[in-house]
Amino acid sequence: MLNFVQQLPVGPAQPTIPQSYAVTRPTHGSRIDLDAVDNSQSPFGTVAMTMLTAFAFAVSGYAKRRPRHSNAHRKKLRPVACRASAEVMTKTEEACLTDEVMKSAQECLVNNYGQRSIVATHGSGNYLFDSEGRQYLDFAAGIAVNCLGHCEPGWVDAVAKQAGTLVHTSNMFLNPPQVQLAEHLVASSFADKVFFANSGTEANEGAIKFARKFHVAQGQPRERLVAFENSFHGRTMGALSLTWKEKYRTPFAPLMPSADFLPYNDVNAVAAIDETVCAVFVEPVQGEGGCIPGDSAFLAALRSRCDAVGALLVFDEVQCGLGRTGKLFAYEHVGVVPDIVTLAKPLAAGLPIGACLMSDKVAKAIEPGDHGSTFAGGPLVCAAANYTLDRLDNEAFLANVDAMGHRLREGLRSIVTPYGCEVRGVGLLNGIVCPSAQIVTAVQGVARENGLLILTAGAGDVIRLVPSLTVTAGEVDECIAILKQAFDRVDIPYPSVVGS
């Protein structure tokens, strides 16, 4: 672990893909007219899924924030909202609860996520349930966070045990779960030291600072940073400067002026990295950018060029790391060792945490006071992360991730290729590239009606599928069956018709 404060006391083989898929869920309505589809407010796109859990908070807490309700009304609704299963409610009560939560959300929450149509109340395994008793196969997984599914019993036990022992101390003191987690991450990776943060964007902010400090310690400060087209590194100001989408960046300009973007997977482009570059930030597999795997030759060329000019190479594995690709770390697929790796989403399987893993050459430049966090590395979240990492860092577990990824991609290709769509990805980070964002929005809506939650990516023209890493063959087949219904229902012109 990095010393930021003064010393104080203390798989199986690939399964056979079924030739046809059947699903028992009923379809609703007729084929979708794409001309009537508005994809500007896709309720379960990349941003909207981020706050599903916020509604669970609203469900349990809205009553006490609404003083205009009588005491009798609060006593009636609040226990219903907090029950383990929405099935105990009548249809009238379900509708009332949904309306109340949505109305309260409009009054009390900042509208940065747009309108959301589902009030999530509880989850079990790879299924999410809403306030009206509907069940959804969850292939969004909290935007690739819930790697063990919802409420995995061992994880729940680990969190409950730690919650009854010690929750928070700050980083003025050491705590055993934090040190244990750092030891495991170091032992399983290239890294010599670890810094803990609270999210992926915080991990990337830390990496920016560590890279800058590295060059200051060398006596040759460097400012310039390089990222890539279609990249996503976070929404705080430094990480946002390295994020490609203009709609994310423009409202908050000016950002860091020293960030430049190069084409992704372009070996020739790496020549633009010179002795003025402090660090290069790259995702080994782009998630938000469209589920695009990095080419081995490209990532190797980045390593060689960074070595030649003295720049640091930072791999952002916030989404693609920790088992998502079928390896514990995505860099293992290409044999390229970075100087820093940033992690977050699945590390604690649902609790907020981030991490920077780094080599000694970087860590030696960091001194007490250079960086810090009040909440990061707390005993509760680290206990959750320790349990999660123990599950993920297992050959059989990772082999199953790889096998389920193969099964999913083969099944998807069998249903979407006739529509001119491309399937790409690695492990359980996969995308369906569609002819337009309208098609994606329509398919996403029909899938949701039939009980499947999926995400978008790229320019809105990619369906992103990031289920939990515990997804089963039956659940993969269920996803494919629902998507087949959705693609069959949406009015997508065949390629031959498009070209005529």
Side-chain angles (χ1 to χ4, degrees), residues 120 136 144 155 159 205 210 234 249 256 277 284 309 311-312 381 394 402 414 430 432 446 475 482:
Y136 302 90
W155 183 92
V159 172
E205 293 285 350
F210 301 150
R249 296 161 51 87
M256 289 194 306
V277 173
V309 301
L312 295 182
V381 70
N394 177 279
D402 187 58
S414 72
N430 294 287
I432 305 171
V446 176
E475 290 162 344
I482 295 173

Side-chain angles (χ1 to χ4, degrees), residues 414-434:
S414 72
I415 64 171
V416 305
T417 300
Y419 295 107
C421 300
E422 173 195 355
V423 176
R424 66 189 180 201
V426 58
L428 287 171
L429 174 51
N430 294 287
I432 305 171
V433 186
C434 297

Side-chain angles (χ1 to χ4, degrees), residues 11 30 32 62 116 126 145 218-219 244 278 280 282 311-312 326 361 406 437:
S30 58
I32 301 295
Y62 77 89
R116 288 160 285 184
N126 293 316
V145 168
Q218 302 296 310
W244 171 250
C278 170
V280 175
V282 64
L312 295 182
K361 80 171 187 179
H406 280 293

Side-chain angles (χ1 to χ4, degrees), residues 37-98:
V37 173
D38 176 14
N39 62 293
S40 64
Q41 293 291 332
S42 178
F44 282 89
T46 301
V47 175
M49 283 296 296
T50 317
M51 285 299 290
L52 274 176
T53 52
F55 277 124
F57 173 83
V59 167
S60 63
Y62 77 89
K64 65 183 179 183
R65 300 197 306 270
R66 300 287 295 277
R68 65 179 175 277
H69 289 319
S70 68
N71 288 337
H73 188 61
R74 284 202 298 272
K75 289 178 181 178
K76 178 182 178 182
L77 284 185
R78 193 173 178 188
V80 170
C82 298
R83 284 173 182 167
S85 173
E87 293 177 356
V88 300
M89 291 188 283
T90 67
K91 292 296 182 183
T92 301
E93 288 173 328
E94 290 169 352
C96 178
L97 173 62
T98 302

Side-chain angles (χ1 to χ4, degrees), residues 35-319:
D35 290 334
V37 173
D38 176 14
N39 62 293
S40 64
Q41 293 291 332
S42 178
F44 282 89
T46 301
V47 175
M49 283 296 296
T50 317
M51 285 299 290
L52 274 176
T53 52
F55 277 124
F57 173 83
V59 167
S60 63
Y62 77 89
K64 65 183 179 183
R65 300 197 306 270
R66 300 287 295 277
R68 65 179 175 277
H69 289 319
S70 68
N71 288 337
H73 188 61
R74 284 202 298 272
K75 289 178 181 178
K76 178 182 178 182
L77 284 185
R78 193 173 178 188
V80 170
C82 298
R83 284 173 182 167
S85 173
E87 293 177 356
V88 300
M89 291 188 283
T90 67
K91 292 296 182 183
T92 301
E93 288 173 328
E94 290 169 352
C96 178
L97 173 62
T98 302
D99 291 344
E100 284 290 329
V101 172
M102 288 188 172
K103 184 176 181 181
S104 185
Q106 288 180 333
E107 294 175 354
C108 303
L109 295 177
V110 175
N111 188 35
N112 56 312
Y113 298 108
Q115 182 66 36
R116 288 160 285 184
S117 60
I118 289 179
V119 176
T121 57
H122 61 290
S124 178
N126 293 316
Y127 291 89
L128 188 70
F129 299 83
D130 72 10
S131 57
E132 298 185 8
R134 289 183 296 245
Q135 171 180 302
Y136 302 90
L137 178 61
D138 189 359
F139 267 55
I143 315 183
V145 168
N146 300 324
C147 60
L148 301 180
H150 296 281
C151 302
E152 197 268 352
W155 183 92
V156 171
D157 289 345
V159 172
K161 181 179 179 180
Q162 187 61 49
T165 305
L166 183 66
V167 173
H168 176 73
T169 63
S170 85
N171 283 294
M172 293 179 64
F173 312 101
L174 292 171
N175 69 79
Q178 182 188 81
V179 178
Q180 179 186 345
L181 180 59
E183 287 176 339
H184 194 159
L185 288 169
V186 167
S188 301
S189 72
F190 75 96
D192 300 300
K193 294 289 193 298
V194 178
F195 167 77
F196 289 115
N198 300 292
S199 66
T201 194
E202 282 192 29
N204 283 323
E205 293 285 350
I208 292 171
K209 290 182 70 174
F210 301 150
R212 289 271 180 88
K213 183 62 190 300
F214 169 79
H215 290 287
V216 169
Q218 302 296 310
Q220 297 178 327
R222 297 187 186 188
E223 180 182 354
R224 188 178 167 212
L225 301 169
V226 169
F228 293 89
E229 295 174 2
N230 300 310
S231 62
F232 182 87
H233 296 289
R235 294 177 181 270
T236 50
M237 293 299 278
L240 185 60
S241 300
L242 303 174
T243 293
W244 171 250
K245 280 188 180 179
E246 283 295 329
K247 72 175 183 178
Y248 293 163
R249 296 161 51 87
T250 299
F252 308 103
L255 303 175
M256 289 194 306
S258 52
D260 298 314
F261 294 92
L262 299 176
Y264 189 69
N265 275 339
D266 185 343
V267 173
N268 295 326
V270 305
I273 300 168
D274 59 24
E275 289 79 1
T276 67
V277 173
C278 170
V280 175
F281 282 72
V282 64
E283 298 156 277
V285 184
Q286 290 187 333
E288 166 86 11
C291 306
I292 307 170
D295 292 337
S296 298
F298 168 67
L299 296 173
L302 285 179
R303 176 73 277 175
S304 296
R305 186 61 179 170
C306 286
D307 289 341
V309 301
L312 295 182
L313 180 59
V314 182
F315 276 10
D316 179 341
E317 297 202 15
V318 167
Q319 183 164 166

Side-chain angles (χ1 to χ4, degrees), residues 378-416:
L380 180 64
V381 70
C382 286
N386 280 320
Y387 177 84
T388 303
L389 190 56
D390 285 344
R391 289 288 311 277
L392 300 180
D393 192 8
N394 177 279
E395 288 186 9
F397 185 98
L398 295 172
N400 189 64
V401 171
D402 187 58
M404 291 303 100
H406 280 293
R407 186 184 190 96
L408 179 60
R409 285 188 294 278
E410 290 303 308
L412 292 174
R413 290 185 180 110
S414 72
I415 64 171
V416 305

Side-chain angles (χ1 to χ4, degrees), residues 185 188-189 317 322 325 327-333 343 357:
L185 288 169
S188 301
S189 72
E317 297 202 15
L322 296 170
T325 65
K327 300 281 189 183
L328 189 60
F329 299 101
Y331 71 79
E332 296 179 79
H333 285 280
L343 303 171
L357 280 57

